[in-house]
Amino acid sequence: MFRMIFKRAGAVFLAVVLSGCAAQQHHRDGIEAMARGDYAKALQELSQAATMAPDDVAYRRDWLRAREDASNKLFGAAANSAAAGDYRKAEASYRQVLQYEPDNHRAQSGLTKLVDLQRADDEVIAARRAFKEGDVNRAAELAAGTLRRVPGHVGAQALRTELDAQLALATPAVPKLSAVYAKPINLEFRDASIKMVFDALSRTTGINFIFDRDVKPEQRTTVFLKQTSLDDAIDVILSTGQLDKKVLNASSVLIYPSNQTKQREYQDLMVRAFYVANVEAKQTASMLKTVLKLKDIHVEEKSNMLVLRETPETIALAEKLIRLQDMEEPEVMLEVEVLEINRSRLLNAGVQWNSQLTVTPLGITSSMPTTGSSTSSMKISDLRNLNSDRLGITVPSATINLQKTDADAKLLANPRIRVRDREKAKIMIGDRVPVVTTTSTNTFVTENIQYLEVGLKLEVEPDVHLHDEIGLKLGLEVSSLVSSVKTNNGSQAYQIGTRNVNTSLRLKDGETQILAGLINDEDRSAGNRVPLLGDFPVLGRLFGSQNDSRQKTEIVLSITPHLIRNIRRQGPAAESFWSGTETALRDRPLMLRSVDEKGGGNTHAGGAATPPSVAPASAQMPATALNAPKLLWTGPATMKSGEVGTFNLRLNTAEKLRAGSVQLGYDPADFEFVSLDDEGYFSKGSFSKSVDTASGRISASFDSGAAAPPSGEGAMLSLQLKARARATDSAIGVISFMPVGAQGVVGRPALPLMHNVTIAP
C-alpha cells in the first residue's frame, strides 16, 4: 500500500513538473511570436501557458497585456489601411483580431464600417460623374447622403467643398422655367393688369399660369425689362405685386397672394432631422431661432437631435448653418515636466563650551528645618568661615563638533495630458494631510477632519487659435509640509511652504516653453563662543563652535503643446450665402440676369448680373430692326495705369432723329470718370447728363430743338476715363439707347455694345 501511494505521489509530482516546464515553453514561444508580429500564434501560446499554469499570475498578466497590445496594433493598421483605400488589408487586420477573440465588438464593427466605406466610395464616384455632367443637384444629394452615413469620408468631404464653391458661383437650385424657355424676355407694359402681363408671357413662352381666386384682376403694374431670363422676370413682377408662385411642373405655375394664409395653403413643407455631434442641440436650436427666426424646433436631448418642419429653402439654409456650427472641437496633448531641485549644505565645527561655572560651599550644615526641598540654606555668619577648602567648583564641560552634511533632492513629474479646447485640466501629485479640529460643548467633544492638499498642483486651460497656435492659461503651485504645531487644546496645525505661478502664454504647435527662476535661497549662520578667546581668527575655533547652513530650492516647469485636432473652417464659399429678405427666407436674391440672344446668362459670383463694363463682346452689335441706328465705339484698346483715354461713341442712322437718350456703363474699379462732352450730332439742341461714379453709370439725353433733325453718320459723345493702377482686362459699354424719330418709329439697336480695354501696369 505504501509503495502504491509513493508511486501515485511521484506520478503527480512528475506531472506537475512536466506541466510547469510545458507552460514555460509555451510562454517563451508566445513572447517570441509576439516579437515577430505573429499575434495569433503569440496569443495562442500565451493563453495555453496561462491555462496550464493557472496559479502563475505572471503568465496570465503577459497574456492579457499581449492581447491588448496586439489588438491596438491591428486596429491601428486597419485604420491606416482603410484611410489609404486598401480595404482588403484592413479586413485582414480585423479578421486577425477575430481569430483570437471571436466576440470582439470593435472588430465586428470595423468590418461593417468597411462595407459602408466601399459603398460610400461608389457613391462618391457616382457623384463625381454627375458633377462632371453638370448635374450639381444630384452630386450634392449623393455627397450629403454619403456624409450622413460616413461622416469622415475624405472623398465626400472634398467633393462637398467643390460643390459649395460651385454653388456659390451659380444660382441655387430651384425649379427653373428657363429650362423650357431659354430665350431672353423683353417686356414693356405701362400701367397694365397683372393678368394681362402673364397672358402675354403665356402666349410668348407657352408656360401655363394658374391664378388663385384671391388674386385681384384690377391689380396694375408697370414693367420695362430687356434681355432677362424668364425666371427672373416672373420673380420681379411677383415681388413688386406682393404675389408669390409655386412651380407645379416644367410648364405650369400657380400664382397666389403673398400672405401668411396663402403661404400656409400652398407652400410645401419638409421634415428634416439633424443629428449634431460636437455641440448641444439646444445651442443649435437657439442659433436657428436667432438667425432664421424659426419658432417651432423640436430638440431631442437624449440623441442630441433637432427636427424641423419648414420649407425646402429654409431647410437648406438651416443645413448650411448647422454645418458651420457642428465642427469638431480642437484637442491638445500637453507634455508637462516639473522639476524641483533642493540643495542643502550644513557645516558644524568647533568646540562647544558649557557657559556656566558653578561655585558651591562645602561642609555647611543647615540650621533650618528640612522641608523636603533640594535647596540648602546657610546662615550669613557662616560666610566668615569660608575659605578655599570649603568651596567646591564645577568645571565647565566642552563638546567637540565636527559635522558636515550635503543633501540633494529632486522631485520630477512628467505627466501627459489630453484636453479639449477651453476646458481645464488639473493635476495633483502629493499628499492630503489631515487637519483635526476639536469642538467642545458642555456635554461632549467632537472632532472634525479636513484634508489639506500638499504637493504639486497644476491647472492648464488651452485656447486653440488658427495657424496652429495654442494659448495657455497656466497655474502652478508647489507646496511642502514645513512643520507641525500643537495648539493649547491639542489640535494639530501645520506650517506649509508654497510657491505659486500664474501666467498666460501663446505657443505654436510643438513649441517648448520653460518657466524657471522660482528660487528660494537661504543662508544661516550661528556661533557659540567663549568671550574674547573665541573671537581670535584661528584659535577661536578652540574656544567656540560655528554652525553654517545653506538651503537652495529651485522649480523648473517645461510645457510643450501638441495639436491633435485643430479648427476646421468650412471655407469662404460655405461661410457666406444668401438668406432672402426679412419676411421671406430663400437661398438666392431677387435679381435680373442679362441673357444674350442664344439664351446664355451673364452672371458673376453670387448669381447677380455681370456689369456690362466687364462683359466680353464685340465692338459693334448688329441691329435688331432694319431702320435701327448703328452705334460704334472708337478709342484706345490698351491703356497704362494713370493714363487718360478718350472714347468716342459714333451714330449712323438712315432715319432722321429728333431726340435720343443713352446710358453708358464702366467698371469703377478699373476706371475713374473724367468728363463727358457732346460732340454736336444733334446740332445746337439741348444736352443733359447724369453721372453716378459709385456704380459706373452715365446717362445722357439729346434734343435737336428747332434745328433740323440729324441723320447719317457722326460723333455723338466723347467720354474721357482715367485708368486706375491695376492690371486687368475691362470694358466700357452702351447699356441702353432710346432713339426718337422725327417722322415715325425708329428701331432700337441690340445692346449691350462693348469696347474692350486692356490696362497695363
Side-chain angles (χ1 to χ4, degrees):
M1 179 178 294
F2 286 107
R3 184 179 301 172
M4 185 177 298
I5 293 174
F6 282 123
K7 285 184 178 180
R8 290 181 178 178
V12 171
F13 177 75
L14 182 61
V16 170
V17 172
L18 293 177
S19 176
C21 294
Q24 185 177 5
Q25 182 63 37
H26 285 299
H27 181 267
R28 187 183 302 110
D29 294 342
I31 296 298
E32 293 176 355
M34 193 69 187
R36 295 194 308 268
D38 189 358
Y39 302 126
K41 174 70 173 176
L43 292 172
Q44 181 183 1
E45 295 290 340
L46 292 175
S47 176
Q48 192 168 357
T51 303
M52 297 180 67
D55 296 334
D56 196 325
V57 180
Y59 288 172
R60 183 170 181 81
R61 179 201 61 196
D62 291 344
W63 171 59
L64 295 175
R65 184 177 297 174
R67 187 178 66 177
E68 182 180 1
D69 293 343
S71 299
N72 291 335
K73 291 179 181 179
L74 289 174
F75 286 142
N80 294 333
S81 301
D86 192 352
Y87 298 134
R88 291 186 178 180
K89 192 173 181 180
E91 181 182 359
S93 299
Y94 285 129
R95 295 198 179 279
Q96 194 172 356
V97 175
L98 294 176
Q99 287 181 3
Y100 59 81
E101 194 174 357
D103 297 331
N104 191 291
H105 178 72
R106 187 176 175 185
Q108 295 173 352
S109 300
L111 293 176
T112 304
K113 186 178 180 180
L114 289 179
V115 177
D116 294 338
L117 286 173
Q118 292 176 352
R119 181 183 175 185
D121 288 348
D122 296 338
E123 290 179 347
V124 171
I125 293 173
R128 286 280 183 188
R129 189 182 303 112
F131 184 48
K132 290 181 180 179
E133 294 174 354
D135 192 353
V136 180
N137 295 331
R138 177 61 178 167
E141 181 181 354
L142 290 173
T146 300
L147 290 174
R148 280 196 295 268
R149 284 187 296 272
V150 186
H153 195 277
V154 179
Q157 288 179 342
L159 178 59
R160 188 175 67 178
T161 302
E162 297 180 20
L163 289 171
D164 290 340
Q166 180 69 20
L167 292 175
L169 298 175
T171 303
V174 293
K176 292 181 177 293
L177 299 175
S178 298
V180 178
Y181 189 83
K183 295 182 179 180
I185 297 297
N186 296 322
L187 295 176
E188 293 186 12
F189 289 94
R190 185 184 300 275
D191 196 24
S193 67
I194 288 287
K195 290 189 176 181
M196 182 183 295
V197 175
F198 282 105
D199 184 54
L201 282 175
S202 179
R203 290 196 304 268
T204 304
T205 62
I207 303 297
N208 302 317
F209 294 98
I210 305 169
F211 291 89
D212 183 85
R213 63 182 180 179
D214 292 334
V215 176
K216 298 178 181 180
E218 67 275 9
Q219 186 172 349
R220 318 294 288 181
T221 186
T222 300
V223 180
F224 292 96
L225 297 176
K226 294 292 184 181
Q227 303 293 318
T228 61
S229 66
L230 177 61
D231 283 311
D232 295 342
I234 293 176
D235 287 342
V236 170
I237 295 171
L238 295 177
S239 178
T240 56
Q242 294 184 349
L243 300 173
D244 208 340
K245 77 176 189 296
K246 179 178 181 180
V247 179
L248 302 178
N249 55 35
S251 60
S252 300
V253 180
L254 173 65
I255 307 297
Y256 60 90
S258 180
N259 53 53
Q260 293 185 356
T261 303
K262 293 300 179 180
Q263 287 176 351
R264 291 193 187 101
E265 292 181 6
Y266 292 119
Q267 280 189 344
D268 294 323
L269 301 179
M270 292 178 58
V271 175
R272 176 71 183 277
F274 294 95
Y275 290 88
V276 289
N278 302 294
V279 294
E280 293 184 0
K282 285 184 177 180
Q283 297 179 359
T284 304
S286 177
M287 183 260 297
L288 295 178
K289 291 179 180 178
T290 302
V291 178
L292 300 182
K293 309 300 181 184
L294 302 184
K295 296 181 179 179
D296 299 328
I297 302 177
H298 175 73
V299 177
E300 183 65 36
E301 297 183 5
K302 183 177 180 181
S303 55
N304 209 33
M305 176 190 70
L306 47 91
V307 182
L308 304 180
R309 184 174 183 265
E310 296 290 341
T311 62
E313 291 83 2
T314 305
I315 294 293
L317 293 174
E319 183 177 6
K320 291 180 180 179
L321 288 173
I322 292 173
R323 189 190 306 172
L324 287 176
Q325 188 186 37
D326 190 22
M327 295 188 300
E328 294 181 350
E329 293 188 55
E331 283 191 278
V332 182
M333 176 70 77
L334 300 175
E335 291 187 4
V336 183
E337 184 174 356
V338 181
L339 181 63
E340 182 182 9
I341 304 173
N342 292 324
R343 296 187 181 94
S344 60
R345 302 290 184 268
L346 174 63
L347 177 62
N348 187 5
V351 179
Q352 183 175 356
W353 295 88
N354 191 343
S355 60
Q356 295 179 350
L357 178 65
T358 305
V359 179
T360 305
L362 301 177
I364 301 300
T365 303
S366 177
S367 62
M368 301 292 294
T370 304
T371 60
S373 173
S374 61
T375 302
S376 60
S377 60
M378 58 182 297
K379 295 183 292 185
I380 296 178
S381 59
D382 293 338
L383 295 176
R384 292 193 300 266
N385 300 324
L386 290 179
N387 52 29
S388 59
D389 294 333
R390 291 177 174 255
L391 292 176
I393 299 175
T394 302
V395 180
S397 61
T399 303
I400 300 176
N401 294 324
L402 296 175
Q403 180 183 5
K404 184 178 180 181
T405 304
D406 291 339
D408 292 328
K410 294 182 180 181
L411 173 63
L412 177 64
N414 188 18
R416 293 169 59 92
I417 318 165
R418 181 169 177 170
V419 59
R420 293 191 304 177
D421 184 29
R422 299 183 183 180
E423 296 286 345
K424 284 187 178 181
K426 297 182 180 181
I427 299 176
M428 168 62 190
I429 303 175
D431 300 320
R432 300 185 67 188
V433 179
V435 178
V436 181
T437 304
T438 304
T439 304
S440 300
T441 61
N442 294 331
T443 57
F444 56 88
V445 177
T446 60
E447 290 184 349
N448 184 24
I449 301 177
Q450 296 180 349
Y451 290 91
L452 186 64
E453 294 181 348
V454 177
L456 187 147
K457 290 190 288 186
L458 178 66
E459 292 187 2
V460 184
E461 182 179 352
D463 185 8
V464 180
H465 302 272
L466 297 176
H467 310 297
D468 294 341
E469 292 186 346
I470 305 104
L472 296 176
K473 291 183 180 179
L474 188 67
L476 174 66
E477 178 183 346
V478 178
S479 57
S480 60
L481 191 62
V482 177
S483 62
S484 61
V485 180
K486 278 193 176 183
T487 61
N488 295 332
N489 58 2
S491 300
Q492 193 83 6
Y494 297 97
Q495 180 184 354
I496 296 176
T498 180
R499 274 147 293 171
N500 301 286
V501 60
N502 291 278
T503 184
S504 298
L505 60 155
R506 187 164 177 171
L507 304 175
K508 292 184 178 180
D509 181 22
E511 183 181 358
T512 301
Q513 178 64 45
I514 297 177
L515 302 177
L518 296 177
I519 302 174
N520 182 19
D521 197 351
E522 296 182 2
D523 285 334
R524 296 184 180 182
S525 179
N528 186 2
R529 303 183 182 91
V530 176
L532 297 178
L533 297 178
D535 295 332
F536 287 102
V538 178
L539 297 177
R541 287 286 183 177
L542 299 177
F543 301 95
S545 176
Q546 186 73 22
N547 189 333
D548 297 327
S549 65
R550 183 177 182 181
Q551 186 171 1
K552 184 177 181 180
T553 304
E554 182 179 2
I555 297 176
V556 179
L557 170 67
S558 170
I559 185 166
T560 306
H562 296 283
L563 269 177
I564 297 177
R565 182 171 51 250
N566 200 348
I567 303 173
R568 295 182 180 179
R569 294 185 58 181
Q570 298 289 337
E575 293 175 354
S576 176
F577 47 87
W578 299 104
S579 62
T581 63
E582 186 70 20
T583 58
L585 294 175
R586 52 196 233 165
D587 51 4
R588 64 188 181 99
L590 184 65
M591 57 189 175
L592 284 175
R593 294 165 295 174
S594 60
V595 181
D596 58 22
E597 290 292 336
K598 297 181 180 180
N602 265 338
T603 59
H604 65 80
T610 305
S613 58
V614 296
S618 60
Q620 185 174 359
M621 300 292 291
T624 58
L626 294 177
N627 63 344
K630 295 181 180 180
L631 299 174
L632 176 66
W633 279 110
T634 61
T638 304
M639 298 177 62
K640 293 184 178 180
S641 299
E643 181 182 355
V644 177
T646 302
F647 304 91
N648 294 318
L649 180 62
R650 302 182 65 82
L651 176 63
N652 185 7
T653 176
E655 302 291 335
K656 293 184 178 182
L657 302 180
R658 178 172 56 87
S661 63
V662 64
Q663 185 178 16
L664 309 178
Y666 65 92
D667 193 342
D670 300 333
F671 295 102
E672 179 182 351
F673 175 79
V674 178
S675 65
L676 178 70
D677 299 318
D678 181 12
E679 290 296 314
Y681 185 84
F682 287 85
S683 300
K684 296 181 180 180
S686 63
F687 171 71
S688 62
K689 62 182 178 181
S690 175
V691 181
D692 185 1
T693 57
S695 61
R697 295 293 184 267
I698 305 172
S699 299
S701 61
F702 309 87
D703 192 341
S704 59
S711 62
E713 183 181 359
M716 186 171 58
L717 290 173
S718 176
L719 174 64
Q720 288 188 331
L721 298 174
K722 181 179 180 181
R724 295 189 182 274
R726 71 172 193 164
T728 184
D729 292 332
S730 188
I732 60 174
V734 180
I735 300 174
S736 66
F737 178 64
M738 179 79 68
V740 180
Q743 299 175 350
V745 179
V746 179
R748 299 179 186 179
L751 298 175
L753 173 65
M754 312 306 299
H755 180 75
N756 297 325
V757 181
T758 300
I759 302 176

PDB file of all heavy atoms in Angstrom, residues 685-698:
ATOM      1  N   GLY A 685     -28.999 121.694 -80.165  1.00  0.00           N
ATOM      2  CA  GLY A 685     -30.104 121.388 -79.275  1.00  0.00           C
ATOM      3  C   GLY A 685     -29.644 121.235 -77.830  1.00  0.00           C
ATOM      4  O   GLY A 685     -28.478 121.452 -77.481  1.00  0.00           O
ATOM      5  N   SER A 686     -30.574 120.809 -77.009  1.00  0.00           N
ATOM      6  CA  SER A 686     -30.273 120.663 -75.575  1.00  0.00           C
ATOM      7  C   SER A 686     -29.488 119.374 -75.325  1.00  0.00           C
ATOM      8  O   SER A 686     -29.619 118.383 -76.056  1.00  0.00           O
ATOM      9  CB  SER A 686     -31.576 120.652 -74.775  1.00  0.00           C
ATOM     10  OG  SER A 686     -32.361 119.533 -75.135  1.00  0.00           O
ATOM     11  N   PHE A 687     -28.666 119.422 -74.262  1.00  0.00           N
ATOM     12  CA  PHE A 687     -27.851 118.263 -73.861  1.00  0.00           C
ATOM     13  C   PHE A 687     -27.789 118.227 -72.333  1.00  0.00           C
ATOM     14  O   PHE A 687     -27.476 119.244 -71.699  1.00  0.00           O
ATOM     15  CB  PHE A 687     -26.440 118.373 -74.435  1.00  0.00           C
ATOM     16  CG  PHE A 687     -25.492 117.335 -73.885  1.00  0.00           C
ATOM     17  CD1 PHE A 687     -25.611 115.995 -74.226  1.00  0.00           C
ATOM     18  CD2 PHE A 687     -24.473 117.701 -73.007  1.00  0.00           C
ATOM     19  CE1 PHE A 687     -24.739 115.051 -73.708  1.00  0.00           C
ATOM     20  CE2 PHE A 687     -23.604 116.760 -72.495  1.00  0.00           C
ATOM     21  CZ  PHE A 687     -23.735 115.427 -72.847  1.00  0.00           C
ATOM     22  N   SER A 688     -28.126 117.092 -71.728  1.00  0.00           N
ATOM     23  CA  SER A 688     -28.057 116.924 -70.270  1.00  0.00           C
ATOM     24  C   SER A 688     -27.395 115.595 -69.950  1.00  0.00           C
ATOM     25  O   SER A 688     -27.470 114.643 -70.741  1.00  0.00           O
ATOM     26  CB  SER A 688     -29.461 116.984 -69.645  1.00  0.00           C
ATOM     27  OG  SER A 688     -30.264 115.923 -70.134  1.00  0.00           O
ATOM     28  N   LYS A 689     -26.758 115.559 -68.791  1.00  0.00           N
ATOM     29  CA  LYS A 689     -26.057 114.331 -68.394  1.00  0.00           C
ATOM     30  C   LYS A 689     -26.168 114.139 -66.892  1.00  0.00           C
ATOM     31  O   LYS A 689     -26.352 115.100 -66.134  1.00  0.00           O
ATOM     32  CB  LYS A 689     -24.592 114.378 -68.801  1.00  0.00           C
ATOM     33  CG  LYS A 689     -23.808 115.515 -68.140  1.00  0.00           C
ATOM     34  CD  LYS A 689     -22.379 115.539 -68.623  1.00  0.00           C
ATOM     35  CE  LYS A 689     -21.610 116.730 -67.980  1.00  0.00           C
ATOM     36  NZ  LYS A 689     -20.208 116.784 -68.448  1.00  0.00           N
ATOM     37  N   SER A 690     -26.049 112.880 -66.470  1.00  0.00           N
ATOM     38  CA  SER A 690     -26.062 112.499 -65.059  1.00  0.00           C
ATOM     39  C   SER A 690     -25.029 111.392 -64.864  1.00  0.00           C
ATOM     40  O   SER A 690     -25.067 110.375 -65.582  1.00  0.00           O
ATOM     41  CB  SER A 690     -27.457 112.030 -64.632  1.00  0.00           C
ATOM     42  OG  SER A 690     -27.429 111.561 -63.292  1.00  0.00           O
ATOM     43  N   VAL A 691     -24.110 111.575 -63.901  1.00  0.00           N
ATOM     44  CA  VAL A 691     -23.005 110.639 -63.696  1.00  0.00           C
ATOM     45  C   VAL A 691     -23.079 110.085 -62.275  1.00  0.00           C
ATOM     46  O   VAL A 691     -23.154 110.857 -61.311  1.00  0.00           O
ATOM     47  CB  VAL A 691     -21.638 111.324 -63.925  1.00  0.00           C
ATOM     48  CG1 VAL A 691     -20.505 110.318 -63.728  1.00  0.00           C
ATOM     49  CG2 VAL A 691     -21.572 111.946 -65.310  1.00  0.00           C
ATOM     50  N   ASP A 692     -23.077 108.762 -62.141  1.00  0.00           N
ATOM     51  CA  ASP A 692     -23.002 108.068 -60.850  1.00  0.00           C
ATOM     52  C   ASP A 692     -21.663 107.340 -60.807  1.00  0.00           C
ATOM     53  O   ASP A 692     -21.527 106.223 -61.325  1.00  0.00           O
ATOM     54  CB  ASP A 692     -24.172 107.097 -60.696  1.00  0.00           C
ATOM     55  CG  ASP A 692     -24.200 106.444 -59.319  1.00  0.00           C
ATOM     56  OD1 ASP A 692     -23.325 106.769 -58.490  1.00  0.00           O
ATOM     57  OD2 ASP A 692     -25.087 105.592 -59.078  1.00  0.00           O
ATOM     58  N   THR A 693     -20.662 107.971 -60.208  1.00  0.00           N
ATOM     59  CA  THR A 693     -19.318 107.392 -60.208  1.00  0.00           C
ATOM     60  C   THR A 693     -19.211 106.150 -59.331  1.00  0.00           C
ATOM     61  O   THR A 693     -18.327 105.318 -59.543  1.00  0.00           O
ATOM     62  CB  THR A 693     -18.299 108.439 -59.726  1.00  0.00           C
ATOM     63  OG1 THR A 693     -18.688 108.892 -58.418  1.00  0.00           O
ATOM     64  CG2 THR A 693     -18.270 109.638 -60.671  1.00  0.00           C
ATOM     65  N   ALA A 694     -20.086 106.016 -58.333  1.00  0.00           N
ATOM     66  CA  ALA A 694     -20.007 104.847 -57.444  1.00  0.00           C
ATOM     67  C   ALA A 694     -20.365 103.566 -58.182  1.00  0.00           C
ATOM     68  O   ALA A 694     -19.742 102.516 -57.979  1.00  0.00           O
ATOM     69  CB  ALA A 694     -20.925 105.044 -56.244  1.00  0.00           C
ATOM     70  N   SER A 695     -21.385 103.621 -59.033  1.00  0.00           N
ATOM     71  CA  SER A 695     -21.820 102.428 -59.764  1.00  0.00           C
ATOM     72  C   SER A 695     -21.287 102.369 -61.183  1.00  0.00           C
ATOM     73  O   SER A 695     -21.451 101.359 -61.869  1.00  0.00           O
ATOM     74  CB  SER A 695     -23.351 102.371 -59.803  1.00  0.00           C
ATOM     75  OG  SER A 695     -23.874 103.510 -60.476  1.00  0.00           O
ATOM     76  N   GLY A 696     -20.656 103.463 -61.657  1.00  0.00           N
ATOM     77  CA  GLY A 696     -20.140 103.474 -63.017  1.00  0.00           C
ATOM     78  C   GLY A 696     -21.228 103.600 -64.064  1.00  0.00           C
ATOM     79  O   GLY A 696     -21.133 102.960 -65.122  1.00  0.00           O
ATOM     80  N   ARG A 697     -22.255 104.415 -63.798  1.00  0.00           N
ATOM     81  CA  ARG A 697     -23.367 104.603 -64.725  1.00  0.00           C
ATOM     82  C   ARG A 697     -23.425 106.070 -65.158  1.00  0.00           C
ATOM     83  O   ARG A 697     -23.348 106.984 -64.323  1.00  0.00           O
ATOM     84  CB  ARG A 697     -24.694 104.197 -64.094  1.00  0.00           C
ATOM     85  CG  ARG A 697     -24.797 102.717 -63.777  1.00  0.00           C
ATOM     86  CD  ARG A 697     -24.827 101.903 -65.077  1.00  0.00           C
ATOM     87  NE  ARG A 697     -25.012 100.480 -64.795  1.00  0.00           N
ATOM     88  CZ  ARG A 697     -24.005  99.612 -64.645  1.00  0.00           C
ATOM     89  NH1 ARG A 697     -22.758 100.050 -64.731  1.00  0.00           N
ATOM     90  NH2 ARG A 697     -24.262  98.350 -64.410  1.00  0.00           N
ATOM     91  N   ILE A 698     -23.604 106.297 -66.481  1.00  0.00           N
ATOM     92  CA  ILE A 698     -23.702 107.640 -67.059  1.00  0.00           C
ATOM     93  C   ILE A 698     -24.947 107.680 -67.928  1.00  0.00           C
ATOM     94  O   ILE A 698     -25.136 106.819 -68.803  1.00  0.00           O
ATOM     95  CB  ILE A 698     -22.460 107.996 -67.896  1.00  0.00           C
ATOM     96  CG1 ILE A 698     -21.181 107.838 -67.057  1.00  0.00           C
ATOM     97  CG2 ILE A 698     -22.566 109.400 -68.468  1.00  0.00           C
ATOM     98  CD1 ILE A 698     -19.913 107.996 -67.862  1.00  0.00           C
TER      99      ILE A 698
END
